[in-house]
Amino acid sequence: MAIDLGTANTLVYVGGRGIVVSEPSVVASDTGSGEVHAVGHEAERMIGRTPATISAVRPLRHGVIADFEVTEAMLRYFIRKVINRRTVHPRLIVCAPSGVTEVEKRAVEEASLAAGARRVHLIEEPIAAAIGAGLAIEEPIGRMVVDVGGGTTEVAVISLGAIVVSRSIRVGGYELDDAIAHYLRIVHKLAIGTRTAERIKLEIGSVVPRAEELTYEVRGRHLVTGLPTAVQLRQGEVREAIAAPMREVMLTIRETLEETPPELASDIAREGIHLAGGGTLIDGLAELITAETGMPTVMTDSPLTCVAVGSGQALEHYDRLGTRDGRYRPAIAPDRRTAM
């Protein structure tokens, strides 16, 4: 079994069956006893609508565990949803951001074991994304992957089955949502929730100007009058709101390219930059990256699921995965120095 344990969504892949679970990484629990009331879609509907005795939270922040016990409960729920028998303890592959510390890796492993896994291996998200995108990463060819998730952005250059250069920043889809909510609060004096901000991003979010600018009616609470109010938000305003976090993403991509060895950089110029993750679906991102870097940009066939699919395909090589570094190791492990 493979789990893409994301800040926004958790996907579960079972060998021979494919992706069998895709639900939000949200848990609703009792604030006093800690009893879990709901997980996934049902818990997400409770965000911002719970009484004081129930808390609906996302136990992961920036791709790492923020609440160990709640994450353990969530993992146990997803594992038992796939495997009905409580006596079965599956071998597990869990995706982790490339920039996590050893302590954060240990937390993921321990939470997975406590949730019922027999053995746990970690695989870095850029490696899993590249495998899921169908890239032949075991070849001596440079491949660049940009994975924009809910809490992190991963940028990595891969060759000979291993990461040669990588950068990970804790900026993702939720930072864009927060930027939109902050803009509305400052400019329009309108308070909105996170789900409304996400809906604005999905409906009219863009990172490049368009000939015909869209508008979207936003409803929220006016900060001055305290009454429910609606405003018309222009697409250009959303672009202005998310400009700062998008600059961080572009800077990370450029810095990674600057550190890439020349031979691998020439491969990337030919093969292109591959985009994965739900955050890459925002309108115009591929155009912006091409304009900023001069490199062709390619969207993977299924950016939302390629990390889960890639980690699932890595199940075939389970015994050759490193227990700590999460590297994908082909049948004959290459010397990483040859990629430099």
Side-chain angles (χ1 to χ4, degrees):
M1 182 186 299
I3 296 181
D4 176 12
L5 191 62
T7 306
N9 297 287
T10 296
L11 287 78
V12 180
Y13 183 106
V14 176
R17 295 168 59 187
I19 295 175
V20 294
V21 171
S22 178
E23 296 198 34
S25 302
V26 184
V27 178
S29 58
D30 190 283
T31 54
S33 65
E35 178 187 356
V36 175
H37 291 283
V39 178
H41 290 300
E42 186 179 350
E44 185 184 43
R45 289 196 294 268
M46 299 181 184
I47 293 178
R49 296 183 172 94
T50 60
T53 56
I54 297 177
S55 174
V57 298
R58 298 184 183 274
L60 291 102
R61 187 66 178 168
H62 300 301
V64 298
I65 294 175
D67 190 315
F68 184 88
E69 292 182 357
V70 176
T71 301
E72 177 190 328
M74 183 177 73
L75 281 169
R76 183 179 294 109
Y77 168 84
F78 288 131
I79 290 173
R80 296 307 170 206
K81 186 171 183 177
V82 175
I83 302 174
N84 294 325
R85 291 174 293 174
R86 293 183 178 274
T87 56
V88 175
H89 298 281
R91 297 187 308 172
L92 196 62
I93 289 179
V94 181
C95 298
S98 60
V100 297
T101 65
E102 287 298 319
V103 173
E104 291 165 341
K105 289 179 182 178
R106 172 77 71 174
V108 174
E109 290 178 354
E110 291 181 353
S112 301
L113 291 170
R118 182 170 79 250
R119 290 173 59 194
V120 181
H121 283 332
L122 302 185
I123 185 170
E124 291 168 311
E125 287 180 3
I127 293 284
I131 297 171
L135 304 180
I137 63 171
E138 71 279 4
E139 297 178 353
I141 298 174
R143 322 274 188 176
M144 187 171 191
V145 176
V146 176
D147 179 9
V148 184
T152 62
T153 294
E154 308 281 322
V155 184
V157 177
I158 302 166
S159 178
L160 289 171
I163 291 177
V164 180
V165 180
S166 71
R167 292 223 172 199
S168 178
I169 59 170
R170 299 193 171 186
V171 174
Y174 287 130
E175 278 62 42
L176 301 184
D177 298 342
D178 291 344
I180 292 170
H182 179 73
Y183 179 89
L184 280 163
R185 177 178 288 271
I186 297 300
V187 176
H188 293 281
K189 301 296 185 289
L190 192 71
I192 62 171
T194 55
R195 297 192 68 182
T196 300
E198 182 180 24
R199 195 155 54 245
I200 293 168
K201 178 184 67 181
L202 295 175
E203 292 290 337
I204 63 170
S206 72
V207 293
V208 293
R210 294 303 184 197
E212 185 178 345
E213 294 283 286
L214 303 175
T215 59
Y216 184 79
E217 185 178 72
V218 183
R219 297 181 181 275
R221 176 174 55 83
H222 199 278
L223 294 174
V224 177
T225 65
L227 300 176
T229 307
V231 300
Q232 291 293 326
L233 189 66
R234 292 178 288 107
Q235 195 169 30
E237 292 183 277
V238 178
R239 191 161 53 250
E240 179 184 346
I242 64 177
M246 289 310 304
R247 276 197 300 270
E248 291 189 56
V249 173
M250 293 302 113
L251 178 61
T252 302
I253 294 172
R254 287 199 301 270
E255 289 177 344
T256 306
L257 284 169
E258 288 170 2
E259 295 177 13
T260 302
E263 292 296 333
L264 298 183
S266 66
D267 292 337
I268 296 168
R270 183 180 63 254
E271 300 284 334
I273 298 172
H274 299 269
L275 304 184
T280 60
L281 295 174
I282 192 165
D283 181 51
L285 181 60
E287 298 173 46
L288 180 62
I289 293 175
T290 297
E292 291 277 341
T293 65
M295 302 283 186
T297 306
V298 182
M299 182 71 73
T300 56
D301 290 338
S302 183
L304 289 170
T305 62
C306 67
V307 172
V309 170
S311 58
Q313 292 175 354
L315 288 168
E316 300 174 8
H317 308 275
Y318 191 89
D319 292 327
R320 294 197 293 272
L321 287 170
T323 57
R324 271 290 183 263
D325 58 14
R327 292 180 190 169
Y328 175 79
R329 302 185 189 278
I332 301 176
D335 184 347
R336 180 171 175 173
R337 289 172 297 178
T338 61
M340 299 300 287

